[in-house]
């Protein structure tokens, strides 16, 4: 059996970060994913898919994701149910994400140019991503450093390091 989903879409609003009574971080957001066809009026339609992240991944998403940002989500579909205040059974279908990729930088979503940026964050103990960038708290500090800030000094590279 297999329960795996990969989605690419844009956030409909900023993620909501909450904590369980035991202190575990959980973030919820909705991803708008375009359908691969147009409707009767020739307009594109979209599905609005609820996504949930847990622990460090939840905190990372809350810190870096914003409304409108293009994002890839990898995880599993979960269906849960509960009884509401009126005594009716309510079913909720959502994606439990264990890997989130930020497909563009904050500069691009705010209208500015800039370089394309892709960052991946994984979370949860059942993630099979091999560790990845799990819990990378230095994301913003390391990502803003200029790799060419060596003040014009020559770079020492041997011929063995060159791919050609």
């Amino acid at each position: 059996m297999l329960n795996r989903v990969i989605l690419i879409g844009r956030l409909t609003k900023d993620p909501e970060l909450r904590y369980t009574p035991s202190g575990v971080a959980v973030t919820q957001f909705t991803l708008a994913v375009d359908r691969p066809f147009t409707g009767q009026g020739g307009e594109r339609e979209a599905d609005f898919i609820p996504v949930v992240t847990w622990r460090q991944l939840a905190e990372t998403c809350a810190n870096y994701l914003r409304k409108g940002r293009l994002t890839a989500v990898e995880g599993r579909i979960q269906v849960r149910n509960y009884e509401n205040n009126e005594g009716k059974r309510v079913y909720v279908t959502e994606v439990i994400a264990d890997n989130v990729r930020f497909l563009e930088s904050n500069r691009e979503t705010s209208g500015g140019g800039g370089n394309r940026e892709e960052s991946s964050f994984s979370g949860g103990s059942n993630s099979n991503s091999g560790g990845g960038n799990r819990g990378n708290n230095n994301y913003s500090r390391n990502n803003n450093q200029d790799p060419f800030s060596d003040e014009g000094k020559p770079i020492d590279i041997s011929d063995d390091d060159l791919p050609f």
Side-chain angles (χ1 to χ4, degrees):
M1 290 180 255
L2 179 66
N3 180 357
R4 204 77 190 139
V5 63
I6 299 173
L7 303 168
I8 297 178
R10 295 194 181 273
L11 270 71
T12 61
K13 62 180 183 177
D14 290 352
E16 297 176 21
L17 176 64
R18 295 188 178 134
Y19 290 90
T20 65
S22 60
V24 177
V26 58
T27 300
Q28 295 178 311
F29 57 90
T30 301
L31 209 60
V33 180
D34 287 338
R35 292 184 176 170
F37 54 87
T38 57
Q40 285 186 341
E43 296 181 17
R44 294 230 22 142
E45 296 181 13
D47 292 302
F48 298 90
I49 301 169
V51 178
V52 177
T53 59
W54 290 90
R55 297 175 183 75
Q56 183 63 42
L57 180 59
E59 292 177 344
T60 302
C61 287
N63 288 334
Y64 296 108
L65 285 180
R66 295 291 172 256
K67 177 182 176 178
R69 189 156 181 198
L70 187 65
T71 305
V73 170
E74 184 178 358
R76 63 182 172 83
I77 293 177
Q78 173 178 285
V79 180
R80 60 184 173 86
N81 63 71
Y82 63 92
E83 199 170 296
N84 68 8
N85 295 339
E86 300 168 358
K88 290 189 176 185
R89 179 75 46 203
V90 177
Y91 290 87
V92 178
T93 302
E94 56 201 2
V95 173
I96 307 300
D98 54 32
N99 190 1
V100 175
R101 289 185 184 264
F102 308 154
L103 299 180
E104 62 189 2
S105 69
N106 285 333
R107 290 181 298 271
E108 289 178 14
T109 56
S110 62
N115 298 329
R116 184 180 180 282
E117 172 184 313
E118 180 178 311
S119 301
S120 175
F121 295 92
S122 299
S125 58
N126 61 350
S127 174
N128 61 358
S129 63
N133 292 331
R134 191 181 317 238
N136 186 354
N137 290 333
N138 295 324
Y139 171 77
S140 60
R141 280 192 303 261
N142 292 340
N143 217 21
N144 292 332
Q145 288 180 350
D146 183 2
F148 303 105
S149 63
D150 59 0
E151 300 165 359
K153 297 176 187 169
I155 301 172
D156 184 27
I157 298 177
S158 71
D159 289 339
D160 294 337
D161 293 334
L162 298 175
F164 47 88

